[in-house]
Amino acid sequence: LHGKKVGFEKVITMIDDMVSALKTEQKDDDAKQTYCTETMDKTDDKKKELERKASDLEAAIAAAEEAIAQLTDEIAALEKGITALDSAVAEATENRKEENAEYKDLMASNTAAKEVLLFAQNR
């Protein structure tokens, strides 16, 4: 400073370099911000889509469970009906056997009566 010229060119060059570096960093930051925003939007969209699918699947599961419960009730009712029908068939079979036995006895009695009548008639 004693009569020498003080040069600020070095300082100005360093400031210009720093400004240039900051502009480059700002462009990179802007690009990263844009990428992050786009990625976040895509992720949000995918999340909403998956939530919708999950909701649809939960509704389908609920409907299937309701159908299963209804079919279980119907199966139980049909099994009761089958049991009742089996009982009715067994009872009807027993009645037919008894009626058949009575019929055979009646036919045997009729045959015996016919033979007695024929015997009496031929005498």
Side-chain angles (χ1 to χ4, degrees):
L1 295 168
H2 295 250
K4 290 186 180 178
K5 232 180 185 181
V6 178
F8 288 105
E9 287 91 25
K10 248 187 187 181
V11 174
I12 292 173
T13 304
M14 288 173 67
I15 291 173
D16 287 343
D17 290 344
M18 192 179 296
V19 168
S20 175
L22 288 173
K23 285 181 181 180
T24 304
E25 286 179 7
Q26 184 64 44
K27 286 180 186 177
D28 290 345
D29 288 348
D30 289 345
K32 286 179 184 176
Q33 169 123 15
T34 303
Y35 170 78
C36 288
T37 303
E38 289 173 358
T39 304
M40 297 265 296
D41 287 344
K42 288 178 184 177
T43 303
D44 286 343
D45 291 344
K46 192 170 187 175
K47 179 184 173 188
K48 287 177 185 175
E49 180 183 340
L50 291 174
E51 286 174 347
R52 243 181 277 120
K53 282 184 180 179
S55 175
D56 291 347
L57 290 174
E58 287 173 358
I61 288 170
E65 287 175 346
E66 184 178 321
I68 288 170
Q70 181 180 1
L71 290 173
T72 302
D73 292 344
E74 289 178 11
I75 288 171
L78 290 172
E79 285 175 346
K80 286 181 182 178
I82 289 171
T83 303
L85 183 61
D86 285 345
S87 297
V89 167
E91 185 178 330
T93 300
E94 187 62 33
N95 288 341
R96 281 193 295 278
K97 284 181 181 178
E98 290 174 5
E99 289 171 357
N100 188 23
E102 289 174 7
Y103 174 76
K104 285 181 179 178
D105 287 344
L106 178 65
M107 291 309 285
S109 297
N110 283 347
T111 304
K114 283 181 186 176
E115 287 176 5
V116 168
L117 288 174
L118 282 175
F119 180 72
Q121 187 181 19
N122 289 335
R123 221 175 184 205

